[in-house]
Amino acid sequence: MLDVVEDQQSGLRLVRIRNPWPSSDWKGTFADHDAMWNKYPDLKDKLGYEFGPDGTWWMRFDDWVTAFNQLYVCRLFPQHWQQHQITGTWHEMTAAGAPVAKVSDKSDPDPRWFNNPQTRITLETDKPTTVFFSLVQSEDNPRQSTNLMLLKVKGAARLWDCVRSDVVGVALENQQDPQREITFEIQLNPAETGKQYIAVCYQDVPKPEANVACKFFLRVFASEPIKVESVPSPQTLFFSGEWKAQSS
């Protein structure tokens, strides 16, 4: 969608559309050379429009509502904003699901959630920084509910527990129907919550299919300089042994 116009004189509400693959154009009312242009002879000049195979056309708003059933909005960031992308996979151990709520402060930590893919965000300025997260599932995945949680941390260690007092933001507060992309925007103030954060991307179900590999892309946009890096997955070692009469 390139433009929206409501002509006060005629009362027409028009939408200008661009087809990125200009092999075909609109064939309905207000298509190029359509007779409706003759009914409003001054409209073409008002719109600054010329007929031609450029992949764009005007159509009535009501026709646009009828012809299309989905609208995707692309957000454009200022040129000085930074952009980072992390590619990850939920598979086997890293398909750890949503955090399990503690029954009490004395309850054991969630034994699985910390295995989810983690991304470290480091602010490289003392200025408040606006950060925009976009978590996108691969089109090859079976569509599922996902979420993103941002927590403040200290030091360079991996996050091992979901401490609610450290949570600074969650993309979705309530589980929703599966979406290909979820987004989340927050302003981080180093004076209040520090400069170190970890973003945890997870499948928002208690026990996801661990044997199904699901690829995702985490994009991070920031108004000020930041450092974005994947946190290595924990290593798992297994040792065999037994208790005998002498060692028990």
Side-chain angles (χ1 to χ4, degrees), residues 50-236:
E50 295 292 336
F51 297 152
D54 60 353
T56 71
W57 65 84
W58 287 94
M59 61 193 304
R60 293 178 301 188
F61 177 80
D62 292 343
D63 291 333
W64 174 74
V65 171
T66 302
F68 297 92
N69 58 16
Q70 291 183 331
L71 172 66
Y72 295 92
V73 179
C74 179
R75 178 171 177 176
L76 301 178
F77 293 92
Q79 290 187 352
H80 71 274
W81 279 47
Q82 288 191 349
Q83 176 179 345
H84 305 264
Q85 178 169 304
I86 297 289
T87 301
T89 304
W90 292 297
H91 184 222
E92 295 182 345
M93 186 173 67
T94 63
V100 177
K102 286 187 176 183
V103 178
S104 68
D105 293 338
K106 296 182 180 180
S107 301
D108 291 334
D110 188 330
R112 302 177 68 241
W113 184 75
F114 65 84
N115 288 314
N116 281 299
Q118 299 185 13
T119 301
R120 182 176 300 280
I121 311 293
T122 304
L123 305 186
E124 297 185 326
T125 177
D126 293 327
K127 298 179 181 178
T129 302
T130 300
V131 184
F132 183 91
F133 296 91
S134 168
L135 177 59
V136 182
Q137 299 182 60
S138 170
E139 288 286 6
D140 297 331
N141 295 355
R143 192 67 55 84
Q144 56 194 302
S145 296
T146 60
N147 210 342
L148 181 149
M149 183 180 291
L150 186 68
L151 301 94
K152 60 182 180 180
V153 295
K154 295 181 180 179
R158 182 180 180 84
L159 190 66
W160 295 104
D161 194 11
C162 180
V163 180
R164 291 297 173 178
S165 60
D166 291 337
V167 177
V168 296
V170 181
L172 299 175
E173 293 292 346
N174 300 304
Q175 189 174 13
Q176 299 182 6
D177 292 335
Q179 303 175 50
R180 180 172 181 266
E181 178 184 21
I182 61 171
T183 60
F184 168 50
E185 183 173 355
I186 189 172
Q187 185 175 69
L188 301 175
N189 190 340
E192 297 177 357
T193 53
K195 293 185 176 182
Q196 297 273 355
Y197 305 86
I198 283 185
V200 183
C201 303
Y202 57 92
Q203 297 155 298
D204 201 12
V205 290
K207 293 183 178 181
E209 293 290 338
N211 60 330
V212 178
C214 296
K215 188 176 181 180
F216 68 85
F217 308 95
L218 175 64
R219 294 185 297 167
V220 185
F221 303 84
S223 62
E224 303 293 340
I226 64 172
K227 184 178 181 180
V228 179
E229 52 190 339
S230 294
V231 179
S233 297
Q235 295 184 357
T236 303

Side-chain angles (χ1 to χ4, degrees), residues 1-3 15-19 55-59 64 68:
M1 181 184 294
L2 300 179
D3 201 358
V15 179
R16 189 174 186 182
I17 302 296
R18 175 178 176 268
N19 180 4
T56 71
W57 65 84
W58 287 94
M59 61 193 304
W64 174 74
F68 297 92

